[in-house]
PDB file of all heavy atoms in Angstrom:
ATOM      1  N   LEU E 105       0.883  10.828   4.817  1.00 94.00           N
ATOM      2  CA  LEU E 105       1.354  11.673   3.711  1.00 94.00           C
ATOM      3  C   LEU E 105       2.660  12.378   4.038  1.00 94.00           C
ATOM      4  O   LEU E 105       3.571  12.404   3.195  1.00 94.00           O
ATOM      5  CB  LEU E 105       0.274  12.682   3.300  1.00 94.00           C
ATOM      6  CG  LEU E 105      -0.841  12.110   2.436  1.00 94.00           C
ATOM      7  CD1 LEU E 105      -1.945  13.136   2.220  1.00 94.00           C
ATOM      8  CD2 LEU E 105      -0.314  11.612   1.109  1.00 94.00           C
ATOM      9  N   PRO E 106       2.828  12.937   5.236  1.00 94.00           N
ATOM     10  CA  PRO E 106       4.135  13.516   5.559  1.00 94.00           C
ATOM     11  C   PRO E 106       5.269  12.485   5.495  1.00 94.00           C
ATOM     12  O   PRO E 106       6.377  12.811   5.072  1.00 94.00           O
ATOM     13  CB  PRO E 106       3.956  14.062   6.978  1.00 94.00           C
ATOM     14  CG  PRO E 106       2.497  14.348   7.088  1.00 94.00           C
ATOM     15  CD  PRO E 106       1.825  13.260   6.270  1.00 94.00           C
ATOM     16  N   LEU E 107       4.992  11.252   5.889  1.00 94.00           N
ATOM     17  CA  LEU E 107       6.017  10.215   5.802  1.00 94.00           C
ATOM     18  C   LEU E 107       6.367   9.933   4.338  1.00 94.00           C
ATOM     19  O   LEU E 107       7.550   9.837   3.984  1.00 94.00           O
ATOM     20  CB  LEU E 107       5.566   8.940   6.505  1.00 94.00           C
ATOM     21  CG  LEU E 107       6.537   7.752   6.436  1.00 94.00           C
ATOM     22  CD1 LEU E 107       7.911   8.125   6.990  1.00 94.00           C
ATOM     23  CD2 LEU E 107       5.944   6.555   7.168  1.00 94.00           C
ATOM     24  N   ALA E 108       5.365   9.825   3.485  1.00 94.00           N
ATOM     25  CA  ALA E 108       5.624   9.604   2.055  1.00 94.00           C
ATOM     26  C   ALA E 108       6.454  10.749   1.481  1.00 94.00           C
ATOM     27  O   ALA E 108       7.418  10.523   0.733  1.00 94.00           O
ATOM     28  CB  ALA E 108       4.309   9.463   1.291  1.00 94.00           C
ATOM     29  N   ARG E 109       6.092  11.969   1.843  1.00 93.00           N
ATOM     30  CA  ARG E 109       6.856  13.128   1.342  1.00 93.00           C
ATOM     31  C   ARG E 109       8.287  13.114   1.870  1.00 93.00           C
ATOM     32  O   ARG E 109       9.229  13.439   1.151  1.00 93.00           O
ATOM     33  CB  ARG E 109       6.150  14.416   1.728  1.00 93.00           C
ATOM     34  CG  ARG E 109       4.903  14.666   0.910  1.00 93.00           C
ATOM     35  CD  ARG E 109       4.306  16.045   1.186  1.00 93.00           C
ATOM     36  NE  ARG E 109       3.051  16.164   0.490  1.00 93.00           N
ATOM     37  CZ  ARG E 109       1.850  16.046   1.066  1.00 93.00           C
ATOM     38  NH1 ARG E 109       1.747  15.859   2.369  1.00 93.00           N
ATOM     39  NH2 ARG E 109       0.758  16.163   0.345  1.00 93.00           N
ATOM     40  N   ALA E 110       8.455  12.748   3.128  1.00 94.00           N
ATOM     41  CA  ALA E 110       9.800  12.697   3.711  1.00 94.00           C
ATOM     42  C   ALA E 110      10.657  11.660   2.991  1.00 94.00           C
ATOM     43  O   ALA E 110      11.824  11.924   2.672  1.00 94.00           O
ATOM     44  CB  ALA E 110       9.723  12.386   5.208  1.00 94.00           C
ATOM     45  N   ILE E 111      10.088  10.495   2.716  1.00 93.00           N
ATOM     46  CA  ILE E 111      10.841   9.459   2.002  1.00 93.00           C
ATOM     47  C   ILE E 111      11.233   9.975   0.618  1.00 93.00           C
ATOM     48  O   ILE E 111      12.360   9.784   0.159  1.00 93.00           O
ATOM     49  CB  ILE E 111      10.020   8.160   1.885  1.00 93.00           C
ATOM     50  CG1 ILE E 111       9.771   7.550   3.264  1.00 93.00           C
ATOM     51  CG2 ILE E 111      10.727   7.153   0.976  1.00 93.00           C
ATOM     52  CD1 ILE E 111       8.728   6.437   3.270  1.00 93.00           C
ATOM     53  N   ALA E 112      10.306  10.650  -0.044  1.00 92.00           N
ATOM     54  CA  ALA E 112      10.539  11.107  -1.415  1.00 92.00           C
ATOM     55  C   ALA E 112      11.455  12.318  -1.507  1.00 92.00           C
ATOM     56  O   ALA E 112      12.185  12.458  -2.491  1.00 92.00           O
ATOM     57  CB  ALA E 112       9.199  11.434  -2.079  1.00 92.00           C
ATOM     58  N   GLU E 113      11.449  13.176  -0.489  1.00 92.00           N
ATOM     59  CA  GLU E 113      12.089  14.484  -0.670  1.00 92.00           C
ATOM     60  C   GLU E 113      13.244  14.799   0.270  1.00 92.00           C
ATOM     61  O   GLU E 113      14.100  15.602  -0.087  1.00 92.00           O
ATOM     62  CB  GLU E 113      11.026  15.575  -0.520  1.00 92.00           C
ATOM     63  CG  GLU E 113       9.925  15.486  -1.553  1.00 92.00           C
ATOM     64  CD  GLU E 113       8.754  16.409  -1.258  1.00 92.00           C
ATOM     65  OE1 GLU E 113       8.770  17.122  -0.221  1.00 92.00           O
ATOM     66  OE2 GLU E 113       7.804  16.395  -2.057  1.00 92.00           O
ATOM     67  N   GLU E 114      13.295  14.219   1.450  1.00 88.00           N
ATOM     68  CA  GLU E 114      14.261  14.688   2.445  1.00 88.00           C
ATOM     69  C   GLU E 114      15.703  14.312   2.154  1.00 88.00           C
ATOM     70  O   GLU E 114      16.610  15.059   2.507  1.00 88.00           O
ATOM     71  CB  GLU E 114      13.881  14.183   3.845  1.00 88.00           C
ATOM     72  CG  GLU E 114      12.748  14.962   4.449  1.00 88.00           C
ATOM     73  CD  GLU E 114      12.470  14.545   5.890  1.00 88.00           C
ATOM     74  OE1 GLU E 114      13.250  13.769   6.470  1.00 88.00           O
ATOM     75  OE2 GLU E 114      11.444  15.019   6.414  1.00 88.00           O
ATOM     76  N   ALA E 115      15.934  13.177   1.546  1.00 84.00           N
ATOM     77  CA  ALA E 115      17.318  12.726   1.343  1.00 84.00           C
ATOM     78  C   ALA E 115      17.454  12.003   0.001  1.00 84.00           C
ATOM     79  O   ALA E 115      17.729  10.807  -0.045  1.00 84.00           O
ATOM     80  CB  ALA E 115      17.745  11.817   2.487  1.00 84.00           C
ATOM     81  N   PRO E 116      17.274  12.708  -1.108  1.00 85.00           N
ATOM     82  CA  PRO E 116      17.293  12.031  -2.410  1.00 85.00           C
ATOM     83  C   PRO E 116      18.630  11.366  -2.751  1.00 85.00           C
ATOM     84  O   PRO E 116      18.668  10.469  -3.581  1.00 85.00           O
ATOM     85  CB  PRO E 116      16.949  13.146  -3.403  1.00 85.00           C
ATOM     86  CG  PRO E 116      17.248  14.409  -2.683  1.00 85.00           C
ATOM     87  CD  PRO E 116      17.044  14.133  -1.223  1.00 85.00           C
ATOM     88  N   GLU E 117      19.703  11.781  -2.111  1.00 88.00           N
ATOM     89  CA  GLU E 117      20.990  11.138  -2.370  1.00 88.00           C
ATOM     90  C   GLU E 117      21.101   9.802  -1.645  1.00 88.00           C
ATOM     91  O   GLU E 117      21.941   8.978  -1.987  1.00 88.00           O
ATOM     92  CB  GLU E 117      22.166  12.018  -1.902  1.00 88.00           C
ATOM     93  CG  GLU E 117      22.084  13.474  -2.263  1.00 88.00           C
ATOM     94  CD  GLU E 117      21.164  14.276  -1.325  1.00 88.00           C
ATOM     95  OE1 GLU E 117      21.075  13.983  -0.106  1.00 88.00           O
ATOM     96  OE2 GLU E 117      20.520  15.199  -1.832  1.00 88.00           O
ATOM     97  N   GLU E 118      20.272   9.597  -0.634  1.00 92.00           N
ATOM     98  CA  GLU E 118      20.367   8.404   0.201  1.00 92.00           C
ATOM     99  C   GLU E 118      19.187   7.450   0.034  1.00 92.00           C
ATOM    100  O   GLU E 118      19.343   6.247   0.207  1.00 92.00           O
ATOM    101  CB  GLU E 118      20.448   8.816   1.679  1.00 92.00           C
ATOM    102  CG  GLU E 118      21.644   9.678   1.999  1.00 92.00           C
ATOM    103  CD  GLU E 118      21.490  10.392   3.335  1.00 92.00           C
ATOM    104  OE1 GLU E 118      20.413  10.339   3.954  1.00 92.00           O
ATOM    105  OE2 GLU E 118      22.471  11.019   3.758  1.00 92.00           O
ATOM    106  N   VAL E 119      18.009   7.997  -0.274  1.00 94.00           N
ATOM    107  CA  VAL E 119      16.774   7.210  -0.272  1.00 94.00           C
ATOM    108  C   VAL E 119      15.953   7.551  -1.513  1.00 94.00           C
ATOM    109  O   VAL E 119      15.807   8.720  -1.860  1.00 94.00           O
ATOM    110  CB  VAL E 119      15.936   7.525   0.995  1.00 94.00           C
ATOM    111  CG1 VAL E 119      14.612   6.793   0.970  1.00 94.00           C
ATOM    112  CG2 VAL E 119      16.711   7.191   2.257  1.00 94.00           C
ATOM    113  N   THR E 120      15.414   6.521  -2.154  1.00 94.00           N
ATOM    114  CA  THR E 120      14.506   6.715  -3.286  1.00 94.00           C
ATOM    115  C   THR E 120      13.166   6.072  -2.963  1.00 94.00           C
ATOM    116  O   THR E 120      13.121   4.891  -2.595  1.00 94.00           O
ATOM    117  CB  THR E 120      15.082   6.076  -4.570  1.00 94.00           C
ATOM    118  OG1 THR E 120      16.296   6.739  -4.909  1.00 94.00           O
ATOM    119  CG2 THR E 120      14.107   6.178  -5.727  1.00 94.00           C
ATOM    120  N   LEU E 121      12.095   6.840  -3.087  1.00 95.00           N
ATOM    121  CA  LEU E 121      10.752   6.284  -2.922  1.00 95.00           C
ATOM    122  C   LEU E 121      10.381   5.572  -4.220  1.00 95.00           C
ATOM    123  O   LEU E 121      10.267   6.193  -5.266  1.00 95.00           O
ATOM    124  CB  LEU E 121       9.730   7.381  -2.609  1.00 95.00           C
ATOM    125  CG  LEU E 121       8.283   6.920  -2.480  1.00 95.00           C
ATOM    126  CD1 LEU E 121       8.105   5.936  -1.330  1.00 95.00           C
ATOM    127  CD2 LEU E 121       7.354   8.111  -2.308  1.00 95.00           C
ATOM    128  N   VAL E 122      10.214   4.262  -4.144  1.00 94.00           N
ATOM    129  CA  VAL E 122       9.864   3.459  -5.306  1.00 94.00           C
ATOM    130  C   VAL E 122       8.356   3.463  -5.525  1.00 94.00           C
ATOM    131  O   VAL E 122       7.871   3.531  -6.648  1.00 94.00           O
ATOM    132  CB  VAL E 122      10.395   2.018  -5.159  1.00 94.00           C
ATOM    133  CG1 VAL E 122       9.983   1.147  -6.333  1.00 94.00           C
ATOM    134  CG2 VAL E 122      11.911   2.021  -4.998  1.00 94.00           C
ATOM    135  N   GLY E 123       7.592   3.403  -4.422  1.00 93.00           N
ATOM    136  CA  GLY E 123       6.144   3.366  -4.547  1.00 93.00           C
ATOM    137  C   GLY E 123       5.493   3.077  -3.205  1.00 93.00           C
ATOM    138  O   GLY E 123       6.117   3.214  -2.160  1.00 93.00           O
ATOM    139  N   VAL E 124       4.231   2.697  -3.267  1.00 94.00           N
ATOM    140  CA  VAL E 124       3.497   2.296  -2.068  1.00 94.00           C
ATOM    141  C   VAL E 124       3.143   0.818  -2.199  1.00 94.00           C
ATOM    142  O   VAL E 124       2.975   0.305  -3.303  1.00 94.00           O
ATOM    143  CB  VAL E 124       2.232   3.153  -1.824  1.00 94.00           C
ATOM    144  CG1 VAL E 124       2.602   4.596  -1.549  1.00 94.00           C
ATOM    145  CG2 VAL E 124       1.277   3.058  -2.982  1.00 94.00           C
ATOM    146  N   TYR E 125       3.055   0.161  -1.052  1.00 90.00           N
ATOM    147  CA  TYR E 125       2.861  -1.281  -1.017  1.00 90.00           C
ATOM    148  C   TYR E 125       1.760  -1.599  -0.013  1.00 90.00           C
ATOM    149  O   TYR E 125       1.772  -1.081   1.105  1.00 90.00           O
ATOM    150  CB  TYR E 125       4.176  -1.938  -0.575  1.00 90.00           C
ATOM    151  CG  TYR E 125       4.160  -3.445  -0.517  1.00 90.00           C
ATOM    152  CD1 TYR E 125       4.636  -4.202  -1.571  1.00 90.00           C
ATOM    153  CD2 TYR E 125       3.687  -4.114   0.609  1.00 90.00           C
ATOM    154  CE1 TYR E 125       4.650  -5.589  -1.519  1.00 90.00           C
ATOM    155  CE2 TYR E 125       3.684  -5.506   0.672  1.00 90.00           C
ATOM    156  CZ  TYR E 125       4.170  -6.229  -0.396  1.00 90.00           C
ATOM    157  OH  TYR E 125       4.174  -7.605  -0.341  1.00 90.00           O
ATOM    158  N   ALA E 126       0.827  -2.429  -0.418  1.00 89.00           N
ATOM    159  CA  ALA E 126      -0.220  -2.898   0.490  1.00 89.00           C
ATOM    160  C   ALA E 126      -0.377  -4.399   0.307  1.00 89.00           C
ATOM    161  O   ALA E 126      -0.259  -4.915  -0.810  1.00 89.00           O
ATOM    162  CB  ALA E 126      -1.546  -2.194   0.196  1.00 89.00           C
ATOM    163  N   HIS E 127      -0.605  -5.078   1.401  1.00 83.00           N
ATOM    164  CA  HIS E 127      -0.783  -6.529   1.391  1.00 83.00           C
ATOM    165  C   HIS E 127      -2.165  -6.844   1.947  1.00 83.00           C
ATOM    166  O   HIS E 127      -2.507  -6.407   3.039  1.00 83.00           O
ATOM    167  CB  HIS E 127       0.302  -7.175   2.255  1.00 83.00           C
ATOM    168  CG  HIS E 127       0.096  -8.633   2.494  1.00 83.00           C
ATOM    169  ND1 HIS E 127       0.200  -9.561   1.488  1.00 83.00           N
ATOM    170  CD2 HIS E 127      -0.223  -9.325   3.610  1.00 83.00           C
ATOM    171  CE1 HIS E 127      -0.030 -10.766   1.984  1.00 83.00           C
ATOM    172  NE2 HIS E 127      -0.299 -10.646   3.274  1.00 83.00           N
ATOM    173  N   CYS E 128      -2.947  -7.587   1.216  1.00 76.00           N
ATOM    174  CA  CYS E 128      -4.313  -7.920   1.617  1.00 76.00           C
ATOM    175  C   CYS E 128      -4.344  -9.176   2.486  1.00 76.00           C
ATOM    176  O   CYS E 128      -5.071 -10.138   2.208  1.00 76.00           O
ATOM    177  CB  CYS E 128      -5.190  -8.114   0.390  1.00 76.00           C
ATOM    178  SG  CYS E 128      -5.423  -6.647  -0.603  1.00 76.00           S
ATOM    179  N   GLY E 129      -3.574  -9.176   3.557  1.00 74.00           N
ATOM    180  CA  GLY E 129      -3.568 -10.313   4.460  1.00 74.00           C
ATOM    181  C   GLY E 129      -4.907 -10.534   5.135  1.00 74.00           C
ATOM    182  O   GLY E 129      -5.170 -11.619   5.659  1.00 74.00           O
ATOM    183  N   ASN E 130      -5.751  -9.511   5.124  1.00 73.00           N
ATOM    184  CA  ASN E 130      -7.074  -9.676   5.722  1.00 73.00           C
ATOM    185  C   ASN E 130      -7.984 -10.564   4.867  1.00 73.00           C
ATOM    186  O   ASN E 130      -9.098 -10.865   5.270  1.00 73.00           O
ATOM    187  CB  ASN E 130      -7.719  -8.322   6.012  1.00 73.00           C
ATOM    188  CG  ASN E 130      -7.612  -7.335   4.881  1.00 73.00           C
ATOM    189  OD1 ASN E 130      -6.714  -7.406   4.046  1.00 73.00           O
ATOM    190  ND2 ASN E 130      -8.509  -6.376   4.839  1.00 73.00           N
ATOM    191  N   THR E 131      -7.505 -11.015   3.717  1.00 76.00           N
ATOM    192  CA  THR E 131      -8.278 -11.969   2.918  1.00 76.00           C
ATOM    193  C   THR E 131      -8.127 -13.397   3.432  1.00 76.00           C
ATOM    194  O   THR E 131      -8.903 -14.266   3.053  1.00 76.00           O
ATOM    195  CB  THR E 131      -7.850 -11.948   1.436  1.00 76.00           C
ATOM    196  OG1 THR E 131      -6.461 -12.293   1.353  1.00 76.00           O
ATOM    197  CG2 THR E 131      -8.103 -10.596   0.808  1.00 76.00           C
ATOM    198  N   TYR E 132      -7.140 -13.640   4.285  1.00 81.00           N
ATOM    199  CA  TYR E 132      -6.876 -15.010   4.730  1.00 81.00           C
ATOM    200  C   TYR E 132      -8.092 -15.646   5.403  1.00 81.00           C
ATOM    201  O   TYR E 132      -8.272 -16.853   5.318  1.00 81.00           O
ATOM    202  CB  TYR E 132      -5.687 -15.056   5.680  1.00 81.00           C
ATOM    203  CG  TYR E 132      -4.371 -14.635   5.077  1.00 81.00           C
ATOM    204  CD1 TYR E 132      -3.314 -14.247   5.889  1.00 81.00           C
ATOM    205  CD2 TYR E 132      -4.162 -14.598   3.703  1.00 81.00           C
ATOM    206  CE1 TYR E 132      -2.096 -13.858   5.352  1.00 81.00           C
ATOM    207  CE2 TYR E 132      -2.954 -14.203   3.162  1.00 81.00           C
ATOM    208  CZ  TYR E 132      -1.922 -13.839   3.992  1.00 81.00           C
ATOM    209  OH  TYR E 132      -0.717 -13.451   3.463  1.00 81.00           O
ATOM    210  N   GLY E 133      -8.902 -14.856   6.069  1.00 81.00           N
ATOM    211  CA  GLY E 133     -10.067 -15.392   6.756  1.00 81.00           C
ATOM    212  C   GLY E 133     -11.334 -15.406   5.913  1.00 81.00           C
ATOM    213  O   GLY E 133     -12.396 -15.776   6.401  1.00 81.00           O
ATOM    214  N   CYS E 134     -11.219 -15.016   4.655  1.00 81.00           N
ATOM    215  CA  CYS E 134     -12.409 -14.972   3.792  1.00 81.00           C
ATOM    216  C   CYS E 134     -12.884 -16.375   3.440  1.00 81.00           C
ATOM    217  O   CYS E 134     -12.093 -17.308   3.331  1.00 81.00           O
ATOM    218  CB  CYS E 134     -12.093 -14.214   2.503  1.00 81.00           C
ATOM    219  SG  CYS E 134     -11.878 -12.447   2.738  1.00 81.00           S
ATOM    220  N   SER E 135     -14.189 -16.473   3.206  1.00 88.00           N
ATOM    221  CA  SER E 135     -14.760 -17.783   2.897  1.00 88.00           C
ATOM    222  C   SER E 135     -15.286 -17.864   1.469  1.00 88.00           C
ATOM    223  O   SER E 135     -16.110 -18.706   1.173  1.00 88.00           O
ATOM    224  CB  SER E 135     -15.871 -18.115   3.893  1.00 88.00           C
ATOM    225  OG  SER E 135     -16.894 -17.143   3.804  1.00 88.00           O
ATOM    226  N   GLY E 136     -14.828 -17.013   0.599  1.00 90.00           N
ATOM    227  CA  GLY E 136     -15.276 -17.099  -0.782  1.00 90.00           C
ATOM    228  C   GLY E 136     -14.727 -15.981  -1.643  1.00 90.00           C
ATOM    229  O   GLY E 136     -14.211 -14.976  -1.147  1.00 90.00           O
ATOM    230  N   VAL E 137     -14.844 -16.180  -2.936  1.00 93.00           N
ATOM    231  CA  VAL E 137     -14.312 -15.225  -3.906  1.00 93.00           C
ATOM    232  C   VAL E 137     -14.933 -13.831  -3.751  1.00 93.00           C
ATOM    233  O   VAL E 137     -14.211 -12.832  -3.785  1.00 93.00           O
ATOM    234  CB  VAL E 137     -14.480 -15.772  -5.345  1.00 93.00           C
ATOM    235  CG1 VAL E 137     -14.130 -14.722  -6.385  1.00 93.00           C
ATOM    236  CG2 VAL E 137     -13.623 -17.022  -5.540  1.00 93.00           C
ATOM    237  N   PRO E 138     -16.247 -13.694  -3.578  1.00 92.00           N
ATOM    238  CA  PRO E 138     -16.809 -12.349  -3.442  1.00 92.00           C
ATOM    239  C   PRO E 138     -16.201 -11.560  -2.274  1.00 92.00           C
ATOM    240  O   PRO E 138     -15.949 -10.361  -2.393  1.00 92.00           O
ATOM    241  CB  PRO E 138     -18.312 -12.595  -3.228  1.00 92.00           C
ATOM    242  CG  PRO E 138     -18.561 -13.913  -3.896  1.00 92.00           C
ATOM    243  CD  PRO E 138     -17.315 -14.714  -3.631  1.00 92.00           C
ATOM    244  N   ALA E 139     -15.955 -12.223  -1.159  1.00 89.00           N
ATOM    245  CA  ALA E 139     -15.363 -11.537  -0.003  1.00 89.00           C
ATOM    246  C   ALA E 139     -13.931 -11.102  -0.310  1.00 89.00           C
ATOM    247  O   ALA E 139     -13.518  -9.996   0.050  1.00 89.00           O
ATOM    248  CB  ALA E 139     -15.392 -12.443   1.222  1.00 89.00           C
ATOM    249  N   ILE E 140     -13.176 -11.957  -0.983  1.00 90.00           N
ATOM    250  CA  ILE E 140     -11.801 -11.610  -1.372  1.00 90.00           C
ATOM    251  C   ILE E 140     -11.820 -10.436  -2.346  1.00 90.00           C
ATOM    252  O   ILE E 140     -11.035  -9.490  -2.212  1.00 90.00           O
ATOM    253  CB  ILE E 140     -11.093 -12.831  -1.991  1.00 90.00           C
ATOM    254  CG1 ILE E 140     -10.876 -13.899  -0.920  1.00 90.00           C
ATOM    255  CG2 ILE E 140      -9.772 -12.430  -2.640  1.00 90.00           C
ATOM    256  CD1 ILE E 140     -10.423 -15.244  -1.462  1.00 90.00           C
ATOM    257  N   GLN E 141     -12.710 -10.471  -3.311  1.00 92.00           N
ATOM    258  CA  GLN E 141     -12.804  -9.387  -4.283  1.00 92.00           C
ATOM    259  C   GLN E 141     -13.185  -8.071  -3.619  1.00 92.00           C
ATOM    260  O   GLN E 141     -12.685  -7.009  -4.001  1.00 92.00           O
ATOM    261  CB  GLN E 141     -13.801  -9.744  -5.391  1.00 92.00           C
ATOM    262  CG  GLN E 141     -13.281 -10.838  -6.295  1.00 92.00           C
ATOM    263  CD  GLN E 141     -14.329 -11.320  -7.286  1.00 92.00           C
ATOM    264  OE1 GLN E 141     -15.546 -11.257  -7.029  1.00 92.00           O
ATOM    265  NE2 GLN E 141     -13.874 -11.810  -8.425  1.00 92.00           N
ATOM    266  N   ALA E 142     -14.050  -8.117  -2.623  1.00 90.00           N
ATOM    267  CA  ALA E 142     -14.444  -6.895  -1.915  1.00 90.00           C
ATOM    268  C   ALA E 142     -13.239  -6.277  -1.203  1.00 90.00           C
ATOM    269  O   ALA E 142     -13.038  -5.057  -1.239  1.00 90.00           O
ATOM    270  CB  ALA E 142     -15.572  -7.188  -0.925  1.00 90.00           C
ATOM    271  N   ILE E 143     -12.429  -7.104  -0.560  1.00 89.00           N
ATOM    272  CA  ILE E 143     -11.229  -6.596   0.111  1.00 89.00           C
ATOM    273  C   ILE E 143     -10.249  -6.050  -0.917  1.00 89.00           C
ATOM    274  O   ILE E 143      -9.643  -4.989  -0.713  1.00 89.00           O
ATOM    275  CB  ILE E 143     -10.595  -7.688   0.991  1.00 89.00           C
ATOM    276  CG1 ILE E 143     -11.491  -7.931   2.207  1.00 89.00           C
ATOM    277  CG2 ILE E 143      -9.177  -7.305   1.414  1.00 89.00           C
ATOM    278  CD1 ILE E 143     -11.076  -9.110   3.070  1.00 89.00           C
ATOM    279  N   ALA E 144     -10.073  -6.747  -2.023  1.00 90.00           N
ATOM    280  CA  ALA E 144      -9.165  -6.271  -3.073  1.00 90.00           C
ATOM    281  C   ALA E 144      -9.620  -4.916  -3.612  1.00 90.00           C
ATOM    282  O   ALA E 144      -8.800  -4.012  -3.813  1.00 90.00           O
ATOM    283  CB  ALA E 144      -9.079  -7.294  -4.201  1.00 90.00           C
ATOM    284  N   ARG E 145     -10.912  -4.748  -3.824  1.00 91.00           N
ATOM    285  CA  ARG E 145     -11.434  -3.457  -4.315  1.00 91.00           C
ATOM    286  C   ARG E 145     -11.227  -2.355  -3.280  1.00 91.00           C
ATOM    287  O   ARG E 145     -10.813  -1.241  -3.619  1.00 91.00           O
ATOM    288  CB  ARG E 145     -12.922  -3.581  -4.677  1.00 91.00           C
ATOM    289  CG  ARG E 145     -13.160  -4.235  -6.023  1.00 91.00           C
ATOM    290  CD  ARG E 145     -14.613  -4.108  -6.481  1.00 91.00           C
ATOM    291  NE  ARG E 145     -15.550  -4.778  -5.574  1.00 91.00           N
ATOM    292  CZ  ARG E 145     -15.845  -6.070  -5.621  1.00 91.00           C
ATOM    293  NH1 ARG E 145     -15.302  -6.849  -6.516  1.00 91.00           N
ATOM    294  NH2 ARG E 145     -16.712  -6.588  -4.766  1.00 91.00           N
ATOM    295  N   ALA E 146     -11.485  -2.654  -2.016  1.00 90.00           N
ATOM    296  CA  ALA E 146     -11.309  -1.654  -0.960  1.00 90.00           C
ATOM    297  C   ALA E 146      -9.837  -1.265  -0.821  1.00 90.00           C
ATOM    298  O   ALA E 146      -9.512  -0.084  -0.658  1.00 90.00           O
ATOM    299  CB  ALA E 146     -11.857  -2.179   0.365  1.00 90.00           C
ATOM    300  N   THR E 147      -8.957  -2.243  -0.894  1.00 88.00           N
ATOM    301  CA  THR E 147      -7.523  -1.961  -0.803  1.00 88.00           C
ATOM    302  C   THR E 147      -7.068  -1.122  -1.991  1.00 88.00           C
ATOM    303  O   THR E 147      -6.335  -0.138  -1.822  1.00 88.00           O
ATOM    304  CB  THR E 147      -6.722  -3.273  -0.730  1.00 88.00           C
ATOM    305  OG1 THR E 147      -7.123  -3.984   0.443  1.00 88.00           O
ATOM    306  CG2 THR E 147      -5.227  -3.013  -0.688  1.00 88.00           C
ATOM    307  N   THR E 148      -7.489  -1.489  -3.178  1.00 91.00           N
ATOM    308  CA  THR E 148      -7.123  -0.735  -4.383  1.00 91.00           C
ATOM    309  C   THR E 148      -7.609   0.704  -4.283  1.00 91.00           C
ATOM    310  O   THR E 148      -6.864   1.645  -4.580  1.00 91.00           O
ATOM    311  CB  THR E 148      -7.693  -1.413  -5.639  1.00 91.00           C
ATOM    312  OG1 THR E 148      -7.155  -2.742  -5.722  1.00 91.00           O
ATOM    313  CG2 THR E 148      -7.352  -0.646  -6.893  1.00 91.00           C
ATOM    314  N   ALA E 149      -8.832   0.895  -3.831  1.00 91.00           N
ATOM    315  CA  ALA E 149      -9.381   2.244  -3.693  1.00 91.00           C
ATOM    316  C   ALA E 149      -8.586   3.054  -2.671  1.00 91.00           C
ATOM    317  O   ALA E 149      -8.267   4.225  -2.899  1.00 91.00           O
ATOM    318  CB  ALA E 149     -10.857   2.181  -3.302  1.00 91.00           C
ATOM    319  N   ALA E 150      -8.233   2.431  -1.548  1.00 89.00           N
ATOM    320  CA  ALA E 150      -7.471   3.135  -0.506  1.00 89.00           C
ATOM    321  C   ALA E 150      -6.096   3.542  -1.019  1.00 89.00           C
ATOM    322  O   ALA E 150      -5.636   4.660  -0.781  1.00 89.00           O
ATOM    323  CB  ALA E 150      -7.348   2.246   0.737  1.00 89.00           C
ATOM    324  N   VAL E 151      -5.426   2.634  -1.730  1.00 90.00           N
ATOM    325  CA  VAL E 151      -4.095   2.955  -2.273  1.00 90.00           C
ATOM    326  C   VAL E 151      -4.201   4.053  -3.322  1.00 90.00           C
ATOM    327  O   VAL E 151      -3.425   5.016  -3.307  1.00 90.00           O
ATOM    328  CB  VAL E 151      -3.426   1.686  -2.866  1.00 90.00           C
ATOM    329  CG1 VAL E 151      -2.179   2.050  -3.656  1.00 90.00           C
ATOM    330  CG2 VAL E 151      -3.088   0.697  -1.750  1.00 90.00           C
TER     331      VAL E 151
END
């Protein structure tokens, strides 16, 4: 959170916080749709 605030507030003339980004690369080892959906739900909730 301090990093997010720093990006958003410390240097508005130089840096703009567009948003947050998460990649569900941990789905690569999944063996089915339910497992992928569970990771997607957990990632969405965390973000």
